[in-house]
Amino acid sequence: MNKLKYFMTSNLGGGGQTVSRFPKHLGFFNDGSFQNIGILLNYHYLTFYEKEGPRKTNRMVFDKKHLETLNNTKINFNDFFNLYKEETLSDTNITNEQLGYDILLDTGSGKILADSILHYDLSRQECIDLIFKLVEHHLEFSIQKKAKYVIAMDFCKKNTYKNKEGRSENYKNIINTILKDNKLQNDLLLLSLEKIKGNRDIKLFAPLHGNSVEDYLNHHQSIVSLENKSSMRFSGFAIGGLGRTKLIDICKIVKEIRDLGEDRDIHILGSSGLNKLLPLCYSGANFFDCHTPWRRANDNENKFSIPLLNKKQEPISTERTFKNIDFVDLQTTENNCDCKVCENFKYEDISKMLLNRNNNSEDYYFAKILIYFHAVYQYSFALKKLESLSSKQEYWDFFKTIKDINYREGLMKIIESID
């Protein structure tokens, strides 16, 4: 098996009021105790904050004052985070440090397209023109703000419906006809390659799309052909649109791309729950985001991920590996995690913060962030373990140590079907 370096980006997007509070607490986690962890940002959320103009929006995620500073000065992303720097909690001795995270910038193009159709009545051609026009600004923004990894602008469908995207026939008709046009998609990708030509500071990933394993493989090969003709190359690929795809098929897509000799990074967009991490890594994926635990931490039930490993990458004895459990239903005996969150905050501490929202909303949102970062540490422990494995037998030996019988058997079944 190929030796892969794993990288995880924690998701800074979604979650309503929590996301705007997230940056001021990042210093607490910036201590070097986990490896290969960066921050996933969203171009749409950070640059669409005006009511008028080419990047208008109905709803901001961050406050306008900070976004104006980010967009209208030469400040980079980590300096932007440091604008929020303050003490984490008034009753602790933990203070935030200067931040130095690697940044992966996603486009949010699915949201841009959905909003353009639903709120601003753009036609199919107007949507296409808008996305093409955004390419240059998207890449200039990435360079100026010092993103290390960048997902190229693409045409995609939004899978998480907060408004009425899923029920709008006009939206579905427009987006479905655009997504069927692979030439249009690749012309857009080629434009991004041309705009970034000669820049070695950014690693640009090409999004892959499809409705089946064969579709994804064909799209990958069409991009390789495009690269060969243009003498330019992407640094990696980002497999998107996976919310409607079975895990076993995602694994097959990744493995078959690897079997073709592809040795560049393969990022899994928006489909990287902890329970999917091990089979995806085994298949050859090596770049992930943390959408699932961020969303689960921000559910009303504040779901807590049952751990798999401790910080020495040793298995923790539990019958519910990686299950997302309502925090109030968590059995404290199941959580023998020794990540920084669990070492510094007892179950009772976090529970008190969650239940005391009316009196202290800042602690309430911080508790959600703690639940999320507990899961991020579990990602880090798992990736560090997998990075130490170099053969199929070593993977199998590790998988056999998993205490959760159902999880272990489900994992083995996927592995056997793709080998």
Side-chain angles (χ1 to χ4, degrees):
M1 297 183 67
N2 292 329
K3 182 71 172 176
L4 299 173
K5 182 177 181 180
Y6 297 102
F7 186 89
M8 172 67 63
T9 51
S10 57
N11 175 39
L12 187 54
Q17 293 173 295
T18 315
V19 67
S20 61
R21 291 167 165 85
F22 189 51
K24 69 181 182 181
H25 297 302
L26 276 172
F28 172 69
F29 307 98
N30 193 37
D31 63 348
S33 63
F34 51 41
Q35 297 181 336
N36 296 336
I37 302 295
I39 300 296
L40 171 65
L41 296 176
N42 186 300
Y43 166 77
H44 168 262
Y45 283 148
L46 296 176
T47 65
F48 283 63
Y49 64 96
E50 297 285 1
K51 292 295 183 183
E52 299 296 334
R55 295 188 301 281
K56 60 186 176 182
T57 186
N58 281 346
R59 178 178 175 269
M60 292 182 296
V61 174
F62 296 97
D63 65 276
K64 188 172 181 179
K65 179 182 177 181
H66 280 119
L67 291 178
E68 285 179 336
T69 301
L70 176 67
N71 283 270
N72 299 325
T73 70
K74 293 185 178 180
I75 189 172
N76 63 39
F77 285 132
N78 277 292
D79 291 335
F80 173 64
F81 292 144
N82 285 318
L83 293 175
Y84 292 84
K85 186 167 67 71
E86 65 181 35
E87 288 191 355
T88 305
L89 286 176
S90 59
D91 59 349
T92 72
N93 294 321
I94 302 167
T95 57
N96 286 338
E97 304 168 0
Q98 289 295 111
L99 302 175
Y101 286 97
D102 285 339
I103 304 298
L104 186 150
L105 186 67
D106 199 359
T107 64
S109 58
K111 182 73 162 60
I112 295 171
L113 285 166
D115 284 357
S116 297
I117 296 166
L118 294 167
H119 300 306
Y120 308 119
D121 298 319
L122 265 62
S123 67
R124 177 183 184 276
Q125 189 57 51
E126 287 172 328
C127 287
I128 292 170
D129 292 343
L130 172 64
I131 298 299
F132 269 90
K133 287 177 182 177
L134 286 173
V135 167
E136 186 169 6
H137 181 267
H138 167 240
L139 294 174
E140 287 177 351
F141 183 78
S142 304
I143 294 167
Q144 185 184 74
K145 304 310 173 188
K146 296 186 178 180
K148 184 173 183 178
Y149 307 97
V150 178
I151 309 297
M153 190 69 71
D154 66 337
F155 297 103
C156 65
K157 190 173 185 178
K158 183 164 174 55
N159 289 321
T160 52
Y161 300 127
K162 294 181 180 178
N163 298 311
K164 55 183 180 180
E165 294 98 324
R167 299 189 298 274
S168 169
E169 290 301 321
N170 184 45
Y171 169 75
K172 288 190 288 187
N173 289 337
I174 291 176
I175 199 68
N176 288 338
T177 57
I178 292 176
L179 292 181
K180 289 177 182 178
D181 193 337
N182 278 342
K183 182 181 184 304
L184 186 66
Q185 196 82 269
N186 284 0
D187 285 347
L188 184 64
L189 292 177
L190 181 59
L191 179 61
S192 289
L193 272 181
E194 291 170 346
K195 294 293 183 182
I196 207 77
K197 188 175 182 180
N199 187 296
R200 297 184 178 181
D201 295 329
I202 282 180
K203 297 183 181 298
L204 187 66
F205 286 17
L208 299 179
H209 292 284
N211 292 314
S212 66
V213 174
E214 184 179 10
D215 283 350
Y216 281 96
L217 295 175
N218 288 338
H219 193 202
H220 170 261
Q221 286 302 291
S222 72
I223 294 174
V224 171
S225 297
L226 178 151
E227 291 175 320
N228 291 336
K229 292 177 182 178
S230 65
S231 301
M232 298 179 287
R233 279 169 59 86
F234 290 98
S235 295
F237 298 90
I239 301 180
L242 297 177
R244 304 174 303 278
T245 307
K246 293 180 180 179
L247 175 59
I248 189 170
D249 287 334
I250 303 172
C251 293
K252 287 178 180 178
I253 292 165
V254 176
K255 185 175 186 300
E256 293 198 32
I257 289 175
R258 289 295 185 203
D259 287 345
L260 292 171
E262 183 59 72
D263 61 356
R264 287 173 282 182
D265 293 320
I266 296 180
H267 180 83
I268 306 297
L269 281 168
S271 185
S272 303
L274 272 165
N275 63 321
K276 299 177 180 178
L277 186 66
L278 301 188
L280 285 169
C281 286
Y282 182 85
S283 302
N286 67 317
F287 243 82
F288 305 88
D289 55 44
C290 302
H291 283 268
T292 301
W294 178 258
R295 294 186 184 281
R296 297 295 77 79
N298 283 284
D299 285 344
N300 291 333
E301 297 82 7
N302 311 122
K303 291 186 171 62
F304 187 91
S305 180
I306 302 297
L308 169 65
L309 302 171
N310 61 25
K311 60 186 175 184
K312 294 181 180 179
Q313 294 87 55
E314 300 167 337
I316 292 174
S317 180
T318 176
E319 298 301 319
R320 299 198 287 187
T321 297
F322 288 158
K323 298 291 191 302
N324 293 308
I325 306 299
D326 292 1
F327 195 79
V328 294
D329 295 332
L330 179 68
Q331 300 292 323
T332 54
T333 55
E334 291 183 296
N335 184 28
N336 295 318
C337 183
D338 57 358
C339 74
K340 187 174 181 179
V341 172
C342 295
E343 284 188 330
N344 284 274
F345 296 90
K346 297 178 181 178
Y347 171 82
E348 292 79 11
D349 297 330
I350 298 176
S351 181
K352 182 178 178 181
M353 287 189 280
L354 289 173
L355 295 173
N356 197 34
R357 180 179 184 179
N358 290 338
N359 297 318
N360 193 330
S361 61
E362 292 305 312
D363 280 6
Y364 169 78
Y365 289 111
F366 182 56
K368 288 174 174 283
I369 292 168
L370 289 174
I371 291 172
Y372 164 65
F373 254 105
H374 156 76
V376 174
Y377 277 102
Q378 278 297 312
Y379 275 109
S380 178
F381 297 164
L383 293 178
K384 189 174 181 181
K385 176 66 177 180
L386 293 172
E387 197 173 358
S388 70
L389 308 178
S390 58
S391 70
K392 179 178 177 180
Q393 187 59 50
E394 288 182 350
Y395 273 88
W396 276 94
D397 290 344
F398 167 55
F399 294 159
K400 289 176 182 177
T401 66
I402 297 173
K403 306 296 183 182
D404 183 334
I405 296 174
N406 291 331
Y407 180 77
R408 184 179 69 240
E409 290 181 350
L411 172 61
M412 295 295 197
K413 185 176 180 180
I414 291 175
I415 300 306
E416 289 170 351
S417 68
I418 64 174
D419 272 345

